[in-house]
Amino acid sequence: MKIHEFQAKELLLAAGAPVPRGIVVSSPAEAVKAFDQIGRPVVLKAQIHAGGRGKGRFKDSGKDFGGVKYIKNRDEVGTVAEVIFKYPLVTKQTGAQGQKVSKVLVQDAADIAREIYLGMVVDRAVGLPVVMACAEGGVEIEEVAARSPEKILKVAVDPNAGLQPFQARRLAFELDFKGDEVPRAEKIMHALARVFLDKDCSLAEINPLVVTPKGEVLALDAKMTFDDNALFRHPDIEALRDENEEDAAELRAARSGLSFISLTGNIGCLVNGAGLAMSTMDIIQYHGGSPANFLDVGGGANKDQVTEALRILLADQRVKAVLINIFGGIMKCDIIAAAVIAAFKEVKPRVPFVVRLEGTNVAEGRKMLEDSGLNLTPATDLTDAAKKVVAAAKECLHRPG
Ligand code: ADP
Ligand code: MG
């Protein structure tokens, strides 16, 4: 789960990291009021979960500013805020349709001498959380990381002990902080590591961490992603969820206990078990197709879940064919066949379906599907299933109308 910049900053502030003063608003009129309250030049920052806002643009607005706009004069606040609230913001991470903005952070504009990158992720290779830092932070960090990966400093952190003072100090020196800046930077590193570890983040990022000409050190931007499997022990974080920012199909699936991820292809997949779902996606790609989603109905899916899963799959207009790939282990094939038949009676399928069943009671399951009279193409094994569904999707694409 992701949260907004202003929420991430509140967590950092509570952990002892200084952030610029900011007020969250929901309309242009409120933005003007916030400007007056701050009483200095501000930056209007569109609150969306996607990154790259500064370099983004508002779709069809004809304006040449993005989701982070410096404003000096009161007159400008209302007109700029109107654009932000009216047009979807398109960034590298939103996709071409962009993301509607419903909250704007009116933030005290900082004087910036230097921009630094500071982040923390779980590094699977090391098996530990790792603090990453780069003296060349800011909006070009992806380019720096691609061009000169050696400039990214990495420090592994023991999750029980936390970030150690000597580790923070070493990073502060390597990042070229001077004098009073050193303890200020260390304090922010400790705050970031504290929030990351205490709240079960999978990513926490301050980019940029800025040094002002007076030597203050501030977290100017903040991004956080939390481990969904740990959210049950952080109701305070769960409360920060903004459903407007989440994929509607994924939300709907989560409510029915289905693991669903939207992808960009045209073959819908209904599979039981995450490992089988992964190999299903692989084999579809291998045979020249492209999955529209990852959908794991789990080990004990019932009729209602299968019905809801089919509804979700078929609601996606890009889906041109569906592969149901079930291994009857915990769940027996005849039970899943009954669920599929029942689901089909409720959800009228508009695209071809290929079904591969294997496992306990497979003969009974296959016979039930055969006898049902439903328009399902049976497959004998994974390869057969993948070839058939890829062919069905292609045919559907080429059919006129
Ligand atoms: P994003 O990473 O989504 O583009 P940021 O908050 O990092 O958004 O903003 C992009 C850039 O805008 C920053 O690198 C910084 O140069 C500038 N910026 C952001 N907030 C402020 C601020 N409060 N004062 C001055 N400049 C800012
Ligand atoms: Mg940023």
Side-chain angles (χ1 to χ4, degrees), residues 330-385:
I330 302 171
M331 177 141 66
K332 297 181 180 59
C333 290
D334 51 331
I335 309 253
I336 192 81
V340 169
I341 292 166
F344 258 71
K345 293 201 169 132
E346 274 182 48
V347 185
K348 300 276 171 287
R350 55 172 177 79
V351 296
F353 272 69
V354 176
V355 183
R356 179 248 177 183
L357 275 185
E358 197 53 78
T360 315
N361 295 356
V362 67
E364 291 92 319
R366 283 189 187 158
K367 179 147 189 347
M368 286 166 71
L369 291 179
E370 239 177 80
D371 295 347
S372 69
L374 295 171
N375 187 17
L376 299 164
T377 306
T380 46
D381 57 36
L382 256 177
T383 302
D384 184 42

Side-chain angles (χ1 to χ4, degrees), residues 5 9 20 43 45 50-55 68 70 107-112 115 138-139 207-208 210 220-223:
E5 171 196 2
K9 286 217 180 98
V43 177
K45 307 185 78 174
R53 296 165 302 164
K55 284 174 139 185
V68 179
Y70 175 81
Q107 196 178 52
D108 198 349
D111 296 324
I112 302 175
E115 298 199 350
V139 292
N207 185 37
V210 298
L220 224 56
D221 185 16
K223 292 216 173 344

Side-chain angles (χ1 to χ4, degrees), residues 83-98:
V83 173
I84 300 180
F85 283 115
K86 183 167 174 193
Y87 301 96
L89 176 56
V90 180
T91 81
K92 262 190 191 169
Q93 296 178 10
T94 58
Q97 78 290 354

